[in-house]
Amino acid sequence: MRAITKSRIIVATLLAALSAHAADAAEAKRTPAGTLKDGTAIEAVTLSNAHGVSARILSYGATLQSLMGPDRNGKIADVMLGYDDLASYVDHPNFFGVTVGRFANRIAGGRFTLDGKPYQLPLNDKVNSLHGGGKGFDKVAWKIVSATNGPTATLVLGYRSPDGDSGYPGNLDVTVTYTLDEAGNLGIAYDAKTDKPTIINMTNHAIFDLAGEGSAMGAYGHRLTIPAKAITPVDDKLIPTGALQPVAGTVFDFRNGRIVGEGIRDGRDQQIRYGHGYDHNFALDKGLTAKPELAARLEDPVSGRVLEVLTTEPGVQFYTGNFLDGTFIGKKGHLYRMGDGIALEPQKFPDAPNKPNFVSARVDPGKPYHHAMIYRLSVAR
């Protein structure tokens, strides 16, 4: 009996050890990624789980450089457009996977007013300010605060944006927290504190091809679902008019899912003509929420890969890479063209500081900013 009891104890101990190892399978690995021209060293941190999902993040731009995941046959591929090396992100910026801020998307004329005081931002999108304008969060070196293993692998990056940075008021202390768990949830949390009233709207600008970056067919054959009964229509400068336009009966109705390529060239729709395809903010039915809720579901019928995007924010910008024209040489020497990938960017509505009826992007001292989003990668069998 004692021998049997002893054997059981040994087996139980081994099982407990194996269980603990499995629970601690998510890892965060730091590696050098290159050096900026001013001598600043940039690192890459790879978060990985035991099921073939991994994410590589650069400290430059707090950039999500790659997201790897298996298809229904177990073949692992990178599902994000981007570059293989640091120099390309620096020399040929195109927002691939970067953290954008202080304000994601467009601000008309680069102008807004807070408490009666006008502010002017750099114009980097013809007559508008785009993704922060000037030297946005995508073009700076972030500090790695921590990188830890565990049931959920975690990376925390920090940056201080000084008062007047690119025209924005207030000293802003920002953190971006990436997490990856065993279920394939890549979480991204944005937190910021300011010492003056300011505006903040942060997100990630990943461009996805679930068939695998550089695939021959691109993302036009993907099936997309967006739970939104309205978009914020734009003018010919891609600035929202301030209205909410129902999607029913239009090529913008993704509520029950539709193939991306079905409406992308429908020139009968003025909004498609303005955007040269899809480049529009969808007003999510859920609105602003305390916890991340579904903003979009993207599926590649061929590979079986599924991406769900969840967010606490009230909108998601759907962009079909309309300005990719073959001049950008991406990973593995691939030339990126329109439709080679799509972006699904959770955020507040574009030009919100100039549209009183939109959810406010204002942030005040003592009332920190927080946006939590999730990229959930899985496989449909």
Side-chain angles (χ1 to χ4, degrees), residues 112-306:
F112 66 95
T113 300
L114 275 180
D115 299 329
K117 182 177 180 179
Y119 294 90
Q120 179 65 57
L121 311 174
L123 304 181
N124 62 333
D125 182 50
K126 298 180 180 179
V127 297
N128 303 316
S129 180
L130 175 66
H131 296 327
K135 191 176 183 180
F137 289 172
D138 60 301
K139 298 178 179 67
V140 298
W142 291 64
K143 177 184 177 182
I144 295 180
V145 178
S146 63
T148 56
N149 302 332
T152 299
T154 303
L155 167 65
V156 181
L157 298 147
Y159 178 68
R160 165 164 268 220
S161 175
D163 184 21
D165 188 11
S166 291
Y168 291 90
N171 292 298
L172 196 70
D173 290 308
V174 191
T175 60
V176 178
T177 303
Y178 284 92
T179 56
L180 179 66
D181 64 20
E182 288 302 304
N185 294 300
L186 178 66
I188 311 177
Y190 303 97
D191 293 278
K193 296 179 181 179
T194 182
D195 60 2
K196 288 183 182 179
T198 190
I199 58 171
I200 308 173
N201 183 30
M202 296 177 64
T203 192
N204 186 275
H205 200 284
I207 300 181
F208 295 101
D209 177 4
L210 298 185
E213 172 277 332
S215 72
M217 299 303 293
Y220 279 174
H222 290 15
R223 185 174 183 84
L224 175 65
T225 304
I226 302 178
K229 60 178 177 288
I231 62 169
T232 52
V234 297
D235 60 20
D236 60 353
K237 303 295 190 300
L238 297 181
I239 295 297
T241 64
L244 290 178
Q245 178 176 302
V247 300
T250 76
V251 295
F252 290 88
D253 193 349
F254 286 89
R255 290 174 294 176
N256 295 315
R258 67 186 301 156
I259 300 300
V260 170
E262 287 179 352
I264 201 168
R265 302 192 190 281
D266 191 342
R268 296 169 297 179
D269 192 302
Q270 179 67 69
Q271 289 299 305
I272 291 292
R273 296 201 299 272
Y274 281 156
H276 303 286
Y278 293 107
D279 192 3
H280 295 78
N281 171 67
F282 285 69
L284 298 170
D285 293 344
K286 73 176 189 65
L288 188 69
T289 51
K291 294 182 179 180
E293 294 183 19
L294 187 69
R297 183 184 189 276
L298 187 66
E299 179 180 352
D300 173 32
V302 178
S303 70
R305 292 189 185 93
V306 175

